[in-house]
Amino acid sequence: MIKIMLVDDHPVIGEGSKLIIEKEEDMKVTIVDSPGKAIDILKNEDFTIMLFDLRMKGMNGIELTKHVRSMGKTAPVLIYTGHEVDPYFNTLIDAGVSGFISKTSSREELIQAIRYGVKGKAIVPVSLFEQLRKSEVRVDETETTSDEVASEVSINPKEQEILKEVAKGKSNKEIAELFYKSPRTIEYNLTEIFKKLRVKTRAEAVLKSKQWGIITDEIQ
């Protein structure tokens, strides 16, 4: 029997996913609606594989994965989310995540991702794979060092804070509310940041910022 822990603070999604998954005769799902409860359960119980939502109250999926790994739990962890994972792909991998599956995926795709995860195989979204490839090529072609970048690119403290929020996967609207600005102002700030970093997407901006030491991999 494949024992699955599903951690999601949206009860409707959790229950719906449980019904879908348990149509498989060899799968059993335990739904947990908060990271704290998940940690308590994992103190006394092991699972074959775990599915964590990325953005939850109190502790996000990355922090939960790190905590679970610190407990000595080695079962595969899949990030099960409706948000883009591109901006913090490296952080997720460093935390110990084994793969990703979108909440908009079909039942067949969800089941396949779980079975692949159990076997130690990872499924990476094509959009993410292509984005990482483009970003990597761009970085390699520039062949600039961190010291060279520091002298050529000037990211001010405000732009650095915006980049940190982008790395957390927040939208322009969410960032605007955080800094008491309008979404249009944040959009303008991001356009300027993209120009300075010589990138075209949010994912590329976050990737370069981390590679050049402008922001760290930590997501609060």
Side-chain angles (χ1 to χ4, degrees), residues 5-156:
M5 169 180 273
L6 172 58
V7 186
D8 196 311
D9 57 3
H10 295 88
V12 174
I13 293 177
E15 291 293 342
S17 298
K18 177 181 173 70
L19 288 174
I20 291 173
I21 295 171
E22 289 190 342
K23 287 183 179 181
E24 299 293 303
E25 295 182 355
D26 62 338
M27 293 186 181
K28 180 67 176 178
V29 179
T30 297
I31 305 173
V32 187
D33 62 8
S34 75
K37 291 179 182 178
I39 292 171
D40 287 339
I41 293 174
L42 287 169
K43 290 177 181 178
N44 303 304
E45 190 174 354
D46 290 319
F47 292 85
T48 312
I49 191 168
M50 297 174 281
L51 275 63
F52 296 163
D53 189 10
L54 181 59
R55 297 172 66 178
M56 297 180 283
K57 295 179 180 179
M59 178 183 291
N60 61 45
I62 298 173
E63 294 167 332
L64 178 57
T65 301
K66 289 181 178 180
H67 192 96
V68 167
R69 293 299 183 227
S70 72
M71 295 170 66
K73 302 296 181 178
T74 58
V77 172
L78 301 184
I79 291 298
Y80 184 44
T81 180
H83 300 280
E84 292 184 2
V85 297
D86 307 38
Y88 26 82
F89 175 78
N90 291 342
T91 305
L92 287 164
I93 297 302
D94 290 342
V97 169
S98 305
F100 313 90
I101 183 68
S102 172
K103 291 180 179 178
T104 61
S105 297
S106 66
R107 176 182 179 277
E108 290 73 21
E109 291 171 332
L110 174 57
I111 297 303
Q112 183 182 47
I114 292 173
R115 293 195 183 282
Y116 269 51
V118 170
K119 293 178 182 179
K121 299 179 180 180
I123 292 182
V124 178
V126 173
S127 59
L128 173 60
F129 180 80
E130 291 177 342
Q131 188 61 62
L132 290 173
R133 180 178 180 278
K134 291 175 183 177
S135 299
E136 188 63 31
V137 168
R138 244 183 223 103
V139 171
D140 288 345
E141 287 176 346
T142 60
E143 296 184 353
T144 55
T145 65
S146 295
D147 289 338
E148 290 172 335
V149 170
S151 63
E152 295 178 4
V153 178
S154 177
I155 299 295
N156 62 46

Side-chain angles (χ1 to χ4, degrees), residues 175-182:
I175 298 173
E177 292 175 351
L178 182 65
F179 294 120
Y180 303 101
K181 302 289 185 181
S182 69

Side-chain angles (χ1 to χ4, degrees), residues 149-164 189-199 205 208-209 212-215:
V149 170
S151 63
E152 295 178 4
V153 178
S154 177
I155 299 295
N156 62 46
K158 180 181 68 176
E159 292 171 335
Q160 187 176 31
E161 290 303 315
I162 291 175
L163 279 168
K164 288 179 181 179
N189 291 148
L190 283 173
T191 298
E192 292 301 307
I193 291 172
F194 288 179
K195 288 180 181 178
K196 290 181 178 181
L197 296 178
R198 300 174 188 173
V199 298
K208 264 194 177 179
S209 296
W212 291 352
I214 297 172
I215 62 175

